[in-house]
Amino acid sequence: YNQYYDSLYFYRAEVNHFIKNQHDKAIPDYSKCISLNPAFKDAWLGRAFCFQNLNKHTQSIQDFSNAARIDP
């Protein structure tokens, strides 16, 4: 595991989420980032906001909760 891989997925997700407004394309990259580094709070938050923008509120709440557990 390369310590930078999680960041690469995170930043690609951020581009899809914030710049391109392609929330559905950002979710897999946030998920990969989380699988590589489950303590990456901002990845949980980014995915939560994507789910929220896609009206997937149950998944959004779960991800917000996971982010809060990492850094209350």
Side-chain angles (χ1 to χ4, degrees), residues 3-70:
Q3 66 182 8
Y4 300 110
Y5 285 169
D6 57 355
S7 294
L8 293 174
Y9 285 102
F10 176 76
Y11 289 120
R12 186 168 68 177
E14 293 281 282
V15 168
N16 282 322
H17 176 53
F18 289 107
I19 296 172
K20 295 182 177 181
N21 281 329
Q22 295 177 338
H23 310 295
D24 56 328
K25 290 187 178 181
I27 289 171
D29 284 334
Y30 283 128
S31 297
K32 181 66 174 179
C33 178
I34 291 166
S35 73
L36 292 170
N37 182 358
F40 203 137
K41 181 188 76 169
D42 288 338
W44 287 104
L45 290 173
R47 192 171 74 172
F49 283 115
C50 285
F51 282 137
Q52 186 177 34
N53 287 324
L54 295 170
N55 293 317
K56 296 183 176 183
H57 301 296
T58 301
Q59 294 99 319
S60 179
I61 291 168
Q62 290 172 344
D63 281 0
F64 281 126
S65 296
N66 284 322
R69 279 194 274 282
I70 294 167

